[in-house]
């Protein structure tokens, strides 16, 4: 290549990449908004269905189980049925359902049961929540897939 040819070739500068924060800010925002909505819904349930001291925390148990079932259905819908906007999963899956379900209250409830002299109930609650939540995710996803497969035939 001659010098005049080399001068005629211009190297374009690389396009400016968006900063990491500018790319992630919408995700953080929708997770925060969804989390606030989910946490408010969970708080409302605990007000409507209070747990007497030392008794099985049914409100938290059923909140976690129901939230896990919805997560199972939601993940089938978003992965198998329709291509959702990139912010739907963080808003609803991580935000709303993450705020609605609660590992922290679950752990506090176990501690309260043990402190109230009910370690057996605390252990039962620990195991029952884990098993029921996993079963709910599985059942929610299986039910959603079967429902969608039945409609396609």
């Amino acid at each position: 290549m001659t010098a005049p040819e080399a001068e005629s070739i211009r190297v374009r500068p690389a396009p400016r990449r968006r900063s990491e924060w500018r790319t992630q800010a919408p995700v953080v925002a929708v997770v925060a908004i969804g989390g606030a909505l989910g946490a408010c819904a969970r708080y409302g349930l605990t007000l409507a269905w209070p747990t007497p001291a030392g008794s099985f925390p049914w409100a938290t148990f059923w909140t976690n189980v129901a939230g896990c079932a919805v997560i199972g259905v939601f993940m089938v819908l978003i992965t198998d049925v329709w291509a959702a906007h990139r912010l739907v999963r963080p808003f609803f899956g991580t935000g709303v359902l993450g705020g609605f379900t609660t590992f922290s209250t679950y752990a506090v409830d176990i501690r309260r049961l043990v402190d109230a002299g009910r370690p057996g109930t605390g252990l039962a609650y620990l195991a029952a929540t884990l098993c029921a939540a996993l079963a709910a995710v599985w059942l929610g996803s299986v039910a959603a897939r079967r429902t969608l497969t039945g409609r396609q035939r």
Side-chain angles (χ1 to χ4, degrees), residues 40-56:
C40 287
R42 175 176 34 94
Y43 181 67
L45 282 174
T46 60
L47 291 178
W49 195 0
T51 302
S55 64
F56 195 90

Side-chain angles (χ1 to χ4, degrees), residues 11-23:
V11 178
R12 291 185 187 181
R16 293 187 75 195
R17 287 182 38 190
R18 295 178 81 185
S19 72
E20 188 69 23
W21 172 247
R22 286 183 58 143
T23 304

Side-chain angles (χ1 to χ4, degrees), residues 40-110:
C40 287
R42 175 176 34 94
Y43 181 67
L45 282 174
T46 60
L47 291 178
W49 195 0
T51 302
S55 64
F56 195 90
W58 289 108
T60 304
F61 176 81
W62 287 114
T63 298
N64 286 336
V65 172
C68 286
V70 173
I71 287 170
V73 171
F74 174 68
M75 291 311 293
V76 169
L77 291 175
I78 192 170
T79 58
D80 295 356
V81 177
W82 54 284
H85 185 276
R86 73 179 189 95
L87 296 178
V88 170
R89 184 183 288 185
F91 170 74
F92 190 72
T94 305
V96 174
L97 294 174
F100 184 70
T101 59
T102 171
F103 180 77
S104 59
T105 303
Y106 165 67
V108 168
D109 287 342
I110 293 166

